[in-house]
Amino acid sequence: THLESCHAYEISLHANGTYRRNFNGDNENNPNKQSEFTVTAKLIEQLSTSTIASHRADIWTMSPPCQPFTSTTNAKRLDGRDPRTAGFRAIMRLLDDMTAQSLSSELIHAHAASPKWIVVENVKGFAGSDTLSEWYDCLERNGYGWREYLLSPMQLGIPNHRKRYYMIAERDSERFGRLRGGESIRETLPCMLEMNEEAIRRRPLSDYIDKSMTGDE
């Protein structure tokens, strides 16, 4: 799918280099090569409401730091007490501020600057966390419905066997409800109901490696 524009914010210079290559790189097959693209090395906490609103993005995608929620060895699982959740809370404040400004300003139509869709990815342990509960509250007061999933990329033939949490939220949604976790979290996608495991082609890892980076022909 071609993107008209993509604006990324990430503090890691290595991640930013990857974004540049994926969305505006030298690869002639890149469908987004001519997109308006910017990537900025900046903490989410440093972003202003006006900056984010100016993008008028249709969709926000995010993967907040997973360390507060991971169940790996020696993980402290501090949830909202972990300072690394500050960026996610900053996003909640931005969304609240954008909605408030939209509703109070004659220059901006209601919800015009807030995204139609928001996609969140994190570790499985994010489900049931206090931080997720805060996120539910934020989405609800800003007019979003949502749907949650626990999925492994292997279910779609991608060679990475690691179950992850996914949420897609939609503003003014007529198809998504506001159920919170528990049994409402789905472990399959609608398209997968029509497919059996054999029907999903298992792609080798080599399909995902850029041959120009490895020197292979």
Side-chain angles (χ1 to χ4, degrees):
T1 300
H2 177 74
L3 299 176
E4 293 183 4
S5 64
C6 178
H7 305 277
Y9 294 95
E10 166 62 54
I11 197 63
S12 168
L13 298 179
H14 295 293
N16 289 344
T18 300
Y19 290 159
R20 288 191 183 94
R21 182 168 182 81
N22 286 347
F23 290 99
N24 204 36
D26 298 327
N27 185 346
E28 291 300 327
N29 295 321
N30 188 340
N32 303 305
K33 186 173 177 62
Q34 303 303 321
S35 301
E36 176 192 351
F37 175 81
T38 62
V39 57
T40 305
K42 201 168 190 177
L43 290 169
I44 300 298
E45 301 93 302
Q46 298 172 329
L47 297 177
S48 67
T49 304
S50 59
T51 296
I52 297 301
S54 68
H55 297 318
R56 292 190 173 274
D58 293 317
I59 182 170
W60 288 359
T61 63
M62 66 187 83
S63 182
C66 66
Q67 294 91 336
F69 318 106
T70 186
S71 58
T72 54
T73 303
N74 297 323
K76 296 181 179 179
R77 302 193 73 174
L78 296 177
D79 199 339
R81 292 176 290 120
D82 193 311
R84 286 169 288 195
T85 60
F88 197 24
R89 287 201 171 91
I91 288 173
M92 297 184 207
R93 289 194 296 272
L94 286 169
L95 194 59
D96 284 338
D97 289 347
M98 288 168 66
T99 298
Q101 291 183 15
S102 296
L103 293 174
S104 63
S105 174
E106 296 179 358
L107 300 178
I108 306 176
H109 295 296
H111 296 310
S114 59
K116 176 66 175 177
W117 298 281
I118 302 175
V119 178
V120 180
E121 179 271 350
N122 214 294
V123 293
K124 180 180 178 181
F126 184 64
S129 67
D130 292 340
T131 303
L132 178 55
S133 182
E134 291 181 46
W135 180 234
Y136 289 143
D137 292 340
C138 177
L139 290 173
E140 190 164 345
R141 64 178 173 262
N142 286 289
Y144 287 83
W146 58 82
R147 187 168 292 170
E148 302 170 276
Y149 298 91
L150 285 174
L151 300 170
S152 168
M154 286 290 287
Q155 292 174 267
L156 297 172
I158 300 170
N160 179 14
H161 189 47
R162 191 179 185 190
K163 186 166 285 190
R164 307 286 285 189
Y165 171 92
Y166 300 91
M167 170 193 277
I168 178 167
E170 184 176 61
R171 176 168 44 80
D172 302 325
S173 180
E174 296 182 356
R175 55 179 174 164
F176 294 166
R178 292 176 176 175
L179 298 176
R180 300 185 173 210
E183 295 183 358
S184 68
I185 300 180
R186 306 183 181 200
E187 298 198 33
T188 187
L189 292 169
C191 64
M192 294 167 57
L193 297 177
E194 302 175 2
M195 305 162 61
N196 56 39
E197 204 166 295
E198 290 73 25
I200 301 176
R201 185 172 74 88
R202 301 296 186 192
R203 297 177 61 184
L205 186 60
S206 58
D207 283 4
Y208 298 86
I209 298 176
D210 189 335
K211 292 181 173 55
S212 68
M213 301 294 289
T214 62
D216 295 337
E217 295 295 333

